[in-house]
Amino acid sequence: MQDHVTFVHLTDLHVGDPKVEDRHLYTDTRENLRAILAAVKALQPAPAFVVASGDLTNRGDVGSYRELKRILVEADLAMPVVLAIGNHDTREGFYRGMLGRTEDLAAPYYHSQVIAGVQVITLDTSAPKEVGGSIEPEQFAWLEEQLAAHLGMPKLIVAHHAPILDEDNVGGEWEAINGADTAELRELLAGRRDVVGILSGHMHYDRVSHWHGIPVVTGMGQHAAMDVLWLHEGLRMVEGTSFAIGTIRPSGLSIAFAPMPSSRREVMKVRFADMPALTKKFYAANEAAE
């Protein structure tokens, strides 16, 4: 690896098919993404790669992935783009619309690649029709193999859901990987000094946590921003987007958040007690649209 490797972290793109009305899209995510990709393209020096850590689309339908693919092609980025999927995504829609794949459509999407001397390991924490995240046993077995490969090389783990910070907090599992899978991940990563960070999203606000010695970065994303001052009541989202610029040095990972211009206008508010009904309504609307 070079002394410094710079990358960009995007998340929660929530791109929609412009031909389909979606009342659960609160901002123009297509234009948000175009503006951010233009900013990324202008960065000097150019980043070695871009990570998009899930919720690539809002509905998980084939048309939305095709629209995302078109935007990425138009952006003409001169670096690899690493994709993960999240709870708003669907495996079938992603495979068909993004990759043109027609077989084994229910399989989790996980992969690993070496870019600029960094091993980027991507997990699939999506669980069909669930807001919170989980990791299948097959992914844990594969992850153990990947951690044994490329010894001494810095490793970034990409997962839409971050590990839960308090493993006994069952009520907090909607925003993270569930407690049992978090505990298994913790045990697997224990003592791994080559894991320089975990990149995630889902919560729609910028946050860095120190999780058992590993920095966990969650991003605001490209849809809307969570009002952290209202989290004691529920979820209040305001207009706002950002992306992160990461640098891996011999001393470790550093992160700089780059907020984009915003009015901070309120676009959605729901109390925690009303979240189950809203989630059920969201998935039902998506099924009806399909």
Side-chain angles (χ1 to χ4, degrees), residues 10-14 52-57 83-86 89 158 160:
L10 312 179
T11 193
D12 293 86
L13 314 183
H14 287 267
S53 60
D55 278 4
L56 305 175
T57 67
L83 301 177
I85 61 176
D89 295 304
V158 181
H160 181 64

Side-chain angles (χ1 to χ4, degrees), residues 131-154:
V131 176
S134 60
I135 303 173
E136 292 99 336
E138 67 183 87
Q139 291 196 67
F140 277 117
W142 172 85
L143 176 58
E144 188 170 13
E145 294 174 356
Q146 292 303 313
L147 291 171
H150 308 292
L151 292 177
M153 181 179 292

Side-chain angles (χ1 to χ4, degrees), residues 168-192:
D168 59 350
N169 180 16
V170 178
E173 289 187 337
W174 67 270
E175 67 176 27
I177 299 170
N178 67 56
D181 289 349
T182 290
E184 187 167 351
L185 184 64
R186 170 175 49 79
E187 293 175 5
L188 192 57
L189 299 183
R192 301 287 318 203

Side-chain angles (χ1 to χ4, degrees), residues 90-146:
T90 64
R91 293 170 179 174
E92 179 176 352
F94 173 79
Y95 286 136
R96 290 186 182 278
M98 203 74 193
L99 302 186
R101 175 169 152 178
T102 58
E103 297 179 351
D104 204 15
L105 300 178
Y109 179 67
Y110 53 93
H111 52 94
S112 174
Q113 57 187 302
V114 174
I115 310 173
V118 177
Q119 186 183 10
V120 185
I121 302 172
T122 304
L123 299 173
D124 182 348
T125 60
S126 67
K129 297 184 181 180
E130 295 290 338
V131 176
S134 60
I135 303 173
E136 292 99 336
E138 67 183 87
Q139 291 196 67
F140 277 117
W142 172 85
L143 176 58
E144 188 170 13
E145 294 174 356
Q146 292 303 313

Side-chain angles (χ1 to χ4, degrees), residues 153-170:
M153 181 179 292
K155 305 178 191 308
L156 274 176
I157 294 177
V158 181
H160 181 64
H161 299 82
I164 195 167
L165 300 181
D166 300 301
E167 291 173 22
D168 59 350
N169 180 16
V170 178

